[in-house]
Amino acid sequence: MSVQNLNEFQELVSKLLLRHRSLLDVLSKIDQSSSAVHRSVIKAVTECGCIELHGKKQMLTSEMTIEDAKKILDSQVEGGLCESCQEAVSAQLGRNLFYLSSLCNLLDLKLEKVVEDEAKRCSTLGIFNMS
């Protein structure tokens, strides 16, 4: 089945979700699936080695402009996910999205509207959005 947009995905999730229909259960599954996303990325570093982390203090000063900061800030990730790790991380992100959609269904929210509203917030607040 091909899903063209978030509304179709949310409808598909609604049809498939049988076992985890309680709000508390879905909340715990979102938490569990987030942990699985973290674990799959960690395995890419510690078991596969396709990506490396080089954590260090980011050297920001109050005199820097936003553009200066963008030039020097580092993701601290080197390399790229191999095909196997891409599949693992993608599968875990998909599972997380499944339970996020389930939560939206239980609370009568439209996932597409949630994404649209967040995009508006991001564009309105710009760089100050994530503080």
Side-chain angles (χ1 to χ4, degrees):
M1 170 181 228
S2 175
V3 176
Q4 301 297 317
N5 58 49
L6 290 174
N7 286 332
E8 285 183 21
F9 178 74
Q10 189 171 355
E11 180 66 27
L12 176 63
V13 168
S14 180
K15 290 176 184 175
L16 295 175
L17 190 69
L18 299 174
R19 189 164 159 227
H20 304 289
R21 281 242 185 255
S22 85
L23 180 62
L24 293 177
D25 197 27
V26 169
L27 287 172
S28 70
K29 294 302 275 183
I30 287 174
D31 211 25
Q32 183 180 24
S33 66
S34 291
S35 294
V37 170
H38 299 172
R39 182 71 184 130
S40 64
V41 173
I42 289 167
K43 282 184 172 187
V45 175
T46 61
E47 290 183 14
C48 178
C50 59
I51 59 174
E52 293 181 6
L53 297 180
H54 299 280
K56 59 187 180 262
K57 181 178 179 179
Q58 301 278 14
M59 303 306 287
L60 294 174
T61 65
S62 58
E63 296 83 34
M64 284 184 184
T65 66
I66 299 292
E67 291 307 313
D68 291 339
K70 285 181 182 179
K71 289 177 188 172
I72 68 158
L73 288 178
D74 185 2
S75 72
Q76 302 177 346
V77 176
E78 287 188 21
L81 293 173
C82 67
E83 187 176 331
S84 176
C85 290
Q86 280 182 347
E87 288 176 14
V89 171
S90 181
Q92 296 305 331
L93 286 169
R95 178 65 73 190
N96 192 261
L97 185 56
F98 178 90
Y99 286 111
L100 181 63
S101 184
S102 298
L103 180 62
C104 288
N105 285 339
L106 291 173
L107 298 175
D108 198 27
L109 297 169
K110 293 292 180 196
L111 184 57
E112 191 165 51
K113 175 118 172 61
V114 170
V115 171
E116 287 172 4
D117 289 348
E118 184 59 20
K120 286 178 192 171
R121 248 187 309 283
C122 288
S123 60
T124 300
L125 297 174
I127 195 75
F128 302 103
N129 184 52
M130 300 307 288
S131 53

